[in-house]
Each structure stands twice: as structure tokens, then as C-alpha cells.
Amino acid sequence: MAAIFPSEEWLQGLEKKLNSDDRYHQIAKNWEGDLLFFVEPEGNLQERLTFYIDLWHGNCRKIEYKPAPESYPNPAFTLTASYKDITAVLTGTLNPMTAMMTSRLKVKGSMGYMMRNVPTVLDFVRAAREVTTEIL
């Protein structure tokens, strides 16, 4: 299932991809942590977007499109980026690790854990790119 980013269909497609992708399952087998994303409005995105993804040992246990941030007060990671930067990551014009190191993708949580799991981070992005057919 591929869809336009951002949309609930896109997030559902990502969940399905993560749960059916053998490569991701193997690479992320030791990952433990949920992520709350904030995408700041810019260009075609008129209001702040939030989405939640719970990843555990190579599986996506839960997703939520546009949750209230207070619904997830203590995620392992909070990621914030402008619409321009998150779409650049999804289209492959911005490396996700470069985005983190230059604060174009701001990460709140254990950077040590994130850096020890770079292959998981990069494969998560691969999966997200594969379900993205169009950018709003």
C-alpha cells in the first residue's frame, strides 16, 4: 500500500510495510522504542502534523495519525522537523543521519541509542520511502 504523504493512509501503509518486511524485521530485531513526530507547517502543510509510531523488535505495534501530543507524554523519541526537511528525507534528497546531526531533524531522546542503531534508523527510512508515492 503506497500513499500520499502526509495522510492517514500513508501511515497505515508504513505500518503494513514494517510488519511485512523481512529485511526491516531482521535489522530492527533489537529496537525498543516509540516515536512521536512533529512536522511543522510549511509550503503545502498548513498546520502542525503529529503522528505516533510504536516500534518493538522489528514490528510496528501501534500507529496513530494526528494524536494529541499529551496522549503520549513520554515517548522514547520525539522527532521534530519542518515539512520541507521531512519530505526531503522521504524523497532521498536529505540523508536522515545528516538531518539529525545538523538539527534539521531534532531528536529528543537517547542519541546514544539512536547512533548505536543507525542501521535500524536507515532501514526505517527505506521502508517509509517505499510507501511514499507522492508528496502533498
Side-chain angles (χ1 to χ4, degrees):
M1 177 178 176
I4 297 171
F5 177 86
S7 67
E8 190 166 7
E9 293 77 20
W10 176 86
L11 190 58
Q12 291 167 347
L14 179 57
E15 177 185 33
K16 184 177 179 183
K17 173 73 174 171
L18 294 172
N19 286 332
S20 65
D21 192 287
D22 290 335
R23 177 177 166 187
Y24 175 77
H25 184 74
Q26 182 61 32
I27 291 171
K29 66 184 175 189
N30 295 318
W31 179 272
E32 297 179 353
D34 55 344
L35 307 110
L36 182 60
F37 287 84
F38 293 96
V39 182
E40 300 300 342
E42 186 176 53
N44 291 335
L45 186 66
Q46 300 300 310
E47 60 184 41
R48 182 184 229 194
L49 172 67
T50 58
F51 57 94
Y52 174 81
I53 304 174
D54 183 6
L55 303 173
W56 193 261
H57 294 269
N59 292 299
C60 181
R61 299 192 300 188
K62 181 179 180 180
I63 59 163
E64 187 173 350
Y65 188 71
K66 294 186 177 180
E70 56 273 10
S71 299
Y72 301 101
N74 297 306
F77 296 97
T78 301
L79 297 103
T80 305
S82 70
Y83 181 70
K84 176 184 171 187
D85 288 336
I86 199 77
T87 58
V89 169
L90 288 173
T91 59
T93 59
L94 177 60
N95 178 289
M97 300 313 294
T98 300
M100 281 191 271
M101 300 311 287
T102 60
S103 294
R104 290 174 70 183
L105 176 60
K106 294 172 184 66
V107 178
K108 181 181 172 192
S110 173
M111 279 303 289
Y113 186 83
M114 190 77 74
M115 298 314 288
R116 285 190 305 276
N117 288 280
V118 167
T120 298
V121 172
L122 293 178
D123 207 58
F124 172 84
V125 172
R126 174 198 59 86
R129 285 178 179 159
E130 289 181 9
V131 299
T132 305
T133 56
E134 188 178 337
I135 302 291
L136 177 69

